[in-house]
Amino acid sequence: MKLQKSKLFIVLSCATMFLTSCASDKLDLYSQSAAISGKGGTYKVGKPYQISGKWYYPEEDYDYVETGTASWYGKDFHAKYTANGEIYDMNTLTAAHRTLPLPSIVRVTNLENGRSLVLRVNDRGPFAKNRIIDVSKRASQLLGFQTQGTAKVKVEIMAEESKALKAALTGKSATTYASASKKSNTGKIITIPKKKVSAYTNYTPNVASAASGGYYVQAGSFSNMNTAENLKNQLQRYGQIKIMPADVNGSTFYRVRVGPFSEQSAADTALARIRNAGLTDATLISE
């Protein structure tokens, strides 16, 4: 394993790119390599998941190339867990993608100014306005679109580097995952790693299209307060957690919610993370 990691570091160091369009925008080689290497996460592809009525199908696709709109995300998720268990740092060179393996290595090129950067994909998103990738705050600065917020980009997976990364994390070579068939997950057990909690699914709140109170991710609704507290403690990594009692047909249910989020895109990202953690019945709420 140590030999594999040493080889991986060499591969990634060689793959590291400097900005190509502006001589004054230089990156330190060690810093960029360290950003790509990551810490604390695991390798995962993930099951199909649904956000705002749209299905996404994670898979190992080492021929992936796509052109579209990139955005960036920052302090709302800084120091929180990513979808594969790493800690998000908005000042390092990472990104969120809807379907690529976590982690994987991509080259992102800003087609508006020619700048190109290698990033480590370790999170899920974005889910707003058909954007194809969310990059860290630092990456948006180096790619030259932080101020404007979005840019037209080309995203290419770096196949050999991504395969080497998988091998270093799992000890296994890369094998393409086939997309699963479309179906809804309706299991009665919700899982946060190493713990299980029985979920009551007979109460499903409606999601409003917009509201002044903000957006929440409802992770579960329980008739037992202790069960709700247990889930709350497990969800601390995902942000501010609230337990909200509600009377439903004469019975009290304790709703466990993450938020509020001022924008639906941020709530959608949190929803994807929580569903990736095993809470497949989590829903988006607007109040």
Side-chain angles (χ1 to χ4, degrees), residues 194-252:
K194 298 184 180 180
K195 295 184 180 181
K196 292 185 178 180
V197 183
S198 295
Y200 290 85
T201 58
N202 58 336
Y203 172 63
T204 304
N206 294 323
V207 179
S209 59
S212 59
Y215 296 92
Y216 292 85
V217 174
Q218 181 159 303
S221 181
F222 308 92
S223 62
N224 186 294
M225 182 62 174
N226 290 334
T227 304
E229 287 283 357
N230 180 27
L231 181 58
K232 176 184 177 182
N233 292 335
Q234 296 180 61
L235 290 171
Q236 295 297 330
R237 65 180 66 180
Y238 298 105
Q240 183 180 352
I241 314 297
K242 296 182 179 181
I243 295 179
M244 299 179 174
D247 182 78
V248 182
N249 297 325
S251 299
T252 300

Side-chain angles (χ1 to χ4, degrees), residues 2-273:
K2 290 183 178 179
L3 180 60
Q4 286 179 316
K5 289 185 177 180
S6 297
K7 290 181 178 178
L8 174 63
F9 181 80
I10 294 172
V11 170
L12 295 178
S13 296
C14 293
T16 300
M17 298 177 63
F18 290 92
L19 294 175
T20 58
S21 65
C22 182
S24 63
D25 289 326
K26 293 185 177 181
L27 302 177
D28 177 77
L29 180 62
Y30 174 79
S31 297
Q32 190 166 351
S33 297
I36 291 173
S37 64
K39 291 183 180 180
T42 59
Y43 181 86
K44 66 184 299 182
V45 177
K47 298 179 180 180
Y49 62 97
Q50 187 180 37
I51 300 292
S52 299
K54 182 176 181 179
W55 281 94
Y56 299 90
Y57 300 90
E59 63 178 337
E60 288 180 344
D61 180 3
Y62 295 109
D63 295 318
Y64 171 82
V65 180
E66 188 174 9
T67 299
T69 301
S71 51
W72 65 273
Y73 66 128
K75 63 181 180 179
D76 286 346
F77 297 98
H78 183 68
K80 302 293 192 304
Y81 281 83
T82 67
N84 77 323
E86 297 178 24
I87 302 296
Y88 174 61
D89 184 345
M90 64 182 181
N91 298 309
T92 56
L93 301 177
T94 59
H97 192 273
R98 298 160 297 176
T99 59
L100 287 177
L102 306 177
S104 55
I105 308 301
V106 298
R107 177 186 290 109
V108 179
T109 302
N110 185 341
L111 299 178
E112 297 173 7
N113 60 19
R115 297 186 182 184
S116 184
L117 199 61
V118 170
L119 302 176
R120 174 190 179 89
V121 176
N122 64 359
D123 209 354
R124 286 292 177 228
F127 304 106
K129 301 178 181 179
N130 295 318
R131 294 169 185 172
I132 65 171
I133 195 166
D134 244 352
V135 304
S136 64
K137 177 181 178 181
R138 181 57 176 155
S140 71
Q141 293 170 338
L142 295 172
L143 286 168
F145 72 85
Q146 183 201 5
T147 300
Q148 68 193 55
T150 61
K152 185 176 182 181
V153 299
K154 181 179 182 181
V155 182
E156 307 167 85
I157 192 168
M158 300 179 70
E160 295 307 313
E161 291 78 8
S162 296
K163 291 176 183 178
L165 183 55
K166 176 185 178 179
L169 291 174
T170 67
K172 300 177 181 179
S173 59
T175 302
T176 300
Y177 282 62
S179 296
S181 60
K182 296 183 180 181
K183 65 179 181 179
S184 175
N185 294 309
T186 58
K188 300 296 183 180
I189 299 297
I190 56 177
T191 305
I192 295 293
K194 298 184 180 180
K195 295 184 180 181
K196 292 185 178 180
V197 183
S198 295
Y200 290 85
T201 58
N202 58 336
Y203 172 63
T204 304
N206 294 323
V207 179
S209 59
S212 59
Y215 296 92
Y216 292 85
V217 174
Q218 181 159 303
S221 181
F222 308 92
S223 62
N224 186 294
M225 182 62 174
N226 290 334
T227 304
E229 287 283 357
N230 180 27
L231 181 58
K232 176 184 177 182
N233 292 335
Q234 296 180 61
L235 290 171
Q236 295 297 330
R237 65 180 66 180
Y238 298 105
Q240 183 180 352
I241 314 297
K242 296 182 179 181
I243 295 179
M244 299 179 174
D247 182 78
V248 182
N249 297 325
S251 299
T252 300
F253 284 85
Y254 301 95
R255 304 173 300 181
V256 183
R257 293 184 174 182
V258 183
F261 300 92
S262 59
E263 296 183 358
Q264 184 174 345
S265 58
D268 283 339
T269 298
L271 177 61
R273 290 178 175 180

